[in-house]
Amino acid sequence: MKNLVSLFLCFLLAHLALAQIGDESNKIRSQADSIKELYYSSGGENLDYLASFMVYEANPDSLLKYGEIYLEKAQETAQEYHISSAYNMIGYAYKYKGNLSKALEYFFESLKYAQSSGSMKAQGRSYVTIADTYSASENRQNAVSYYRKSIEILEQESDSTALGSAIFNAGDEYLKMGKLDSALLYVERAQLIFQKVDFELGQAYCLGNLGMIFAEYGDKLTSEKRINQAIVILEKYEEYYPISSYLNYLSNIYLEKRDLQSALAYAQRSLDLASKYGLKDQISEANLLLSHIYEALNNSSKALEFYKKHIQYRDSVNNIQAVQEMANLRTDYEVSQKQAEVDLLESAATIASLRAKRQTLLLYGVLVMLILVALLAVGSFRRFRFEKETKKIIEEEKNRSEQLLLNILPEEIADELKVHGKVKAHRFNSVTVLFTDFKSFSSMAEEISPEKLVESIDYYFQEFDRITDKYGLEKIKTIGDSYMCAGGLPTESERNPFNVVQAAQEMMEFTKSPKPEGIVQFEMRIGIHTGPIVAGIVGVKKWQYDIWGDTVNIASRMESNSEEGKINISGKTYEIIKEEFDCEYRGSIEIKNRGIWDMYFLK
């Protein structure tokens, strides 16, 4: 809940522009297109145009593509300010993709060139982006440190809105850390800045955060007053999503303090607002809060009722795109069928017209009639052949679509999606998760061509796919040079730890074997752990079958604590497979954020 507010402030500058021109997003998009046309008409050489229209680019893939072009051109001209800006854009692309470590790498490069350029504005911007990224990864200490550096820089500039935003974000980090006095000091300072520049929407977010701070202090009256002041402003701008979020936050605070009646009132108010404006995320969140509250009130039937609604709205958000795409396919099919009916009716009308003409023009002779009949026969035959070929094409495309779906999802999951239009998350009590990672991949990637690197990774992963299929494992995904698979899902199997270990052995043997010319010889380490997970589909645009749970995190730690050329397994997996596989005890090793674990190398 606390993480929601920092998301809102990432868009303060955009809101400022919108507040000045009203609801004119189409004009903004048109302005972006106009700048893009100016850039291309200049021969693609004007970096100011390129940087300007990239600000409006929401697609991370497009942002990454333009960012790389921007960086290349900026480096050619040796303009340090533009180089800093280009690194910043690429960092945002990786951040939007969820690759925070990669984003930080580019943001620090941006900072380096911003400092070389001497631009205080660019330096302040870089510090904010670094702080925002640490905040997203929940590294509170670093986030606060870089927010404070950005504040020191921005205090020397004239951009009060940027300064206020940085101060607000620092205060929000202190709130997340539980340092209420510092949080209060920073948010009140941001509020004063927004008041001076008459940035009403920024003031609303400050009031909302002040409400949360006073709620943490236990000052119910002041908390409600600040939240309600924020709501009045947010309603003016029709910002209903943050209103509902603030109400849910207050409900959660009072639930933790066991003030159940106050918690119930705020959650119900949030649900009413979210339902009125169709905010499905907030409807789901409010229903979950109401479920917890009624559970605390020992009202099991009400708790179950609201929990079911929470699941219903959560799944509807996750699967709405899938349902729409399937509906579009059905609509296209029905339209083609209706068009065939229309064509047949038109053919019948043509035949009737020909017959009428034949009766009136019999005097022109039998020869003309035979010619017309022959033409009609040829047309009908051609139509029959066309329809037959079309039906064959449709059937082939249907089979191809089915196969593509099975390449993305397990067969059982795909069947469930086709039947019900959505997929429920499933819990598995014993699944074995495997992670691989190539040694020195990042450094090699800088030394060899991208084409050779992709060809090499594909060569390895194709063989890993074959081994995964051989042992009945489920490939989950690849993340850069890391390959992730699991045994024991979507169909549970008691032998899944043994199958995963055998697959790991074959993968390691293949990696160590000689490679054809042109293929990079990588060294690899593997980590394996067994435990419970939750599996299901994430995303509404590009489906992905994924797994979650502490088991996944521990398996990843097993890989990072392994050594090149070795397979590292957890003590839990070892207890299952020790009768069939020879292992070497490594001792008890501390894993970051997971305590001390026994580890074994597979001999």
Side-chain angles (χ1 to χ4, degrees):
M1 291 286 293
K2 295 180 181 178
N3 293 333
L4 287 171
V5 177
S6 59
L7 173 64
F8 302 145
L9 261 291
C10 290
F11 300 100
L12 272 176
L13 295 177
H15 277 306
L16 177 61
L18 291 174
Q20 294 170 341
I21 63 176
D23 186 14
E24 300 184 5
S25 58
N26 289 334
K27 288 185 178 180
I28 293 176
R29 183 70 264 170
S30 176
Q31 182 181 3
D33 292 339
S34 298
I35 298 173
K36 186 180 292 188
E37 288 178 8
L38 288 172
Y39 168 70
Y40 284 116
S41 64
S42 71
E45 298 301 326
N46 191 311
L47 297 186
D48 291 324
Y49 288 152
L50 179 58
S52 296
F53 79 73
M54 284 175 64
V55 173
Y56 301 98
E57 186 57 62
N59 184 305
D61 292 323
S62 297
L63 185 59
L64 180 60
K65 180 188 72 174
Y66 285 121
E68 290 171 344
I69 295 172
Y70 186 14
L71 179 59
E72 182 180 354
K73 291 182 178 295
Q75 289 174 331
E76 289 175 358
T77 57
Q79 299 181 59
E80 292 181 331
Y81 179 84
H82 280 297
I83 294 173
S84 171
S85 180
Y87 274 117
N88 197 50
M89 294 296 185
I90 297 173
Y92 269 118
Y94 281 112
K95 185 178 179 184
Y96 296 154
K97 285 173 169 285
N99 191 338
L100 299 183
S101 61
K102 195 71 174 177
L104 270 178
E105 179 183 332
Y106 280 92
F107 288 148
F108 275 115
E109 282 295 310
S110 174
L111 174 61
K112 182 175 72 174
Y113 281 96
Q115 291 170 334
S116 298
S117 71
S119 169
M120 303 301 289
K121 180 178 179 181
Q123 293 177 53
R125 174 197 63 199
S126 295
Y127 280 125
V128 168
T129 57
I130 292 169
D132 287 343
T133 309
Y134 276 125
S135 176
S137 63
E138 300 185 2
N139 189 330
R140 307 295 178 213
Q141 293 293 345
N142 281 350
V144 167
S145 174
Y146 280 96
Y147 278 133
R148 293 177 67 173
K149 289 180 180 179
S150 71
I151 292 168
E152 292 177 7
I153 296 293
L154 292 172
E155 283 176 334
Q156 304 174 42
E157 294 293 300
S158 60
D159 192 343
S160 298
T161 303
L163 174 61
S165 301
I167 294 172
F168 176 92
N169 286 338
D172 189 57
E173 288 301 314
Y174 280 122
L175 174 58
K176 294 170 187 174
M177 296 166 67
K179 296 183 178 181
L180 301 183
D181 292 341
S182 297
L184 181 62
L185 180 67
Y186 275 81
V187 175
E188 286 183 336
R189 184 184 172 193
Q191 184 184 27
L192 289 174
I193 293 174
F194 291 145
Q195 286 175 347
K196 288 181 180 180
V197 296
D198 196 25
F199 185 17
E200 197 172 29
L201 198 57
Q203 296 175 50
Y205 287 120
C206 288
L207 288 168
N209 259 33
L210 288 172
M212 293 190 292
I213 293 169
F214 285 114
E216 294 282 1
Y217 276 128
D219 187 347
K220 180 178 177 181
L221 292 177
T222 306
S223 172
E224 290 181 342
K225 180 180 178 181
R226 295 292 184 273
I227 290 289
N228 287 324
Q229 288 174 332
I231 288 173
V232 169
I233 299 174
L234 292 168
E235 285 179 334
K236 175 181 176 182
Y237 289 92
E238 299 182 353
E239 294 281 347
Y240 300 113
Y241 190 97
I243 295 174
S244 184
S245 296
Y246 281 131
L247 294 172
N248 281 338
Y249 180 85
L250 279 178
S251 176
N252 197 53
I253 289 293
Y254 288 116
L255 176 59
E256 292 176 359
K257 297 180 182 296
R258 308 302 294 176
D259 184 351
L260 300 181
Q261 292 305 318
S262 296
L264 181 63
Y266 281 113
Q268 187 61 55
R269 185 178 172 191
S270 174
L271 178 60
D272 292 341
L273 180 69
S275 299
K276 179 178 179 181
Y277 293 101
L279 308 174
K280 290 192 174 183
D281 284 336
Q282 298 307 93
I283 292 173
S284 176
E285 181 67 29
N287 275 304
L288 181 60
L289 273 170
L290 287 167
S291 174
H292 291 324
I293 294 167
Y294 278 112
E295 184 178 5
L297 290 169
N298 296 319
N299 190 336
S300 300
S301 61
K302 278 283 189 180
L304 180 60
E305 175 188 343
F306 282 104
Y307 188 77
K308 287 180 177 178
K309 291 179 180 178
H310 158 67
I311 296 297
Q312 173 188 346
Y313 276 95
R314 184 196 66 187
D315 288 347
S316 70
V317 171
N318 290 340
N319 293 292
I320 186 169
Q321 184 65 30
V323 172
Q324 288 175 345
E325 290 179 359
M326 294 176 74
N328 288 340
L329 289 173
R330 180 174 179 83
T331 301
D332 291 342
Y333 172 76
E334 291 177 353
V335 168
S336 67
Q337 293 293 91
K338 183 60 68 177
Q339 185 61 49
E341 294 175 9
V342 171
D343 290 343
L344 288 173
L345 288 173
E346 290 176 350
S347 295
T350 301
I351 293 171
S353 176
L354 290 174
R355 287 175 178 173
K357 289 180 179 179
R358 184 187 61 184
Q359 293 175 356
T360 57
L361 300 175
L362 282 175
L363 295 176
Y364 290 95
V366 177
L367 182 59
V368 174
M369 181 186 67
L370 292 174
I371 293 173
L372 291 175
V373 171
L375 290 173
L376 180 61
V378 171
S380 299
F381 173 76
R382 288 181 175 177
R383 179 162 190 80
F384 169 80
R385 187 171 61 184
F386 171 78
E387 290 179 348
K388 184 178 179 180
E389 292 175 352
T390 301
K391 184 177 179 181
K392 181 180 178 182
I393 293 171
I394 291 173
E395 190 66 29
E396 290 174 350
E397 287 299 315
K398 179 182 177 183
N399 293 336
R400 180 169 173 269
S401 298
E402 289 282 345
Q403 190 58 45
L404 286 172
L405 186 61
L406 292 177
N407 285 340
I408 299 171
L409 306 174
E411 185 174 358
E412 295 89 338
I413 302 301
D415 290 340
E416 183 179 351
L417 181 64
K418 287 187 288 185
V419 172
H420 301 290
K422 60 183 180 180
V423 175
K424 294 181 179 179
H426 296 278
R427 180 179 178 83
F428 297 86
N429 293 321
S430 181
V431 169
T432 303
V433 181
L434 177 150
F435 278 91
T436 75
D437 189 70
F438 293 131
K439 177 185 177 183
S440 304
F441 178 83
S442 298
S443 59
M444 286 187 179
E446 296 176 357
E447 297 174 358
I448 62 178
S449 68
E451 294 80 7
K452 183 177 180 180
L453 182 66
V454 172
E455 180 183 3
S456 298
I457 290 294
D458 181 62
Y459 177 82
Y460 282 87
F461 284 175
Q462 281 193 31
E463 180 63 17
F464 290 2
D465 286 346
R466 186 195 66 77
I467 295 171
T468 297
D469 288 340
K470 176 181 176 180
Y471 289 99
L473 311 183
E474 186 65 36
K475 176 182 177 181
I476 304 302
K477 57 187 172 184
T478 60
I479 310 167
D481 64 316
S482 176
Y483 187 95
M484 176 185 178
C485 64
L489 77 159
T491 303
E492 295 189 20
S493 167
E494 293 182 358
R495 293 287 301 174
N496 76 77
F498 303 92
N499 294 337
V500 171
V501 170
Q502 287 179 296
Q505 288 178 320
E506 288 198 18
M507 289 178 181
M508 189 62 76
E509 289 173 4
F510 173 77
T511 304
K512 294 179 179 180
S513 65
K515 300 295 178 292
E517 184 179 352
I519 299 299
V520 179
Q521 182 79 46
F522 288 114
E523 290 185 348
M524 183 175 72
R525 59 177 181 257
I526 295 179
I528 299 174
H529 176 63
T530 303
I533 60 95
V534 173
I537 290 180
V538 296
V540 296
K541 198 165 186 180
K542 294 182 179 179
W543 294 324
Q544 178 178 323
Y545 183 68
D546 209 346
I547 59 178
W548 301 267
D550 210 40
T551 297
V552 179
N553 297 328
I554 294 171
S556 178
R557 296 293 189 272
M558 291 298 125
E559 174 270 309
S560 60
N561 281 275
S562 184
E563 296 177 5
E564 281 70 35
K566 293 188 178 182
I567 301 169
N568 188 36
I569 65 175
S570 68
K572 186 170 182 180
T573 304
Y574 168 76
E575 290 300 326
I576 300 173
I577 60 105
K578 64 183 180 181
E579 298 300 327
E580 296 187 21
F581 294 92
D582 190 13
C583 300
E584 175 187 356
Y585 181 56
R586 300 181 61 191
S588 297
I589 298 175
E590 183 175 357
I591 298 178
K592 183 179 179 182
N593 300 327
R594 291 294 181 277
I596 297 176
W597 283 77
D598 289 336
M599 296 187 192
Y600 297 79
F601 278 140
L602 192 70
K603 289 191 176 180

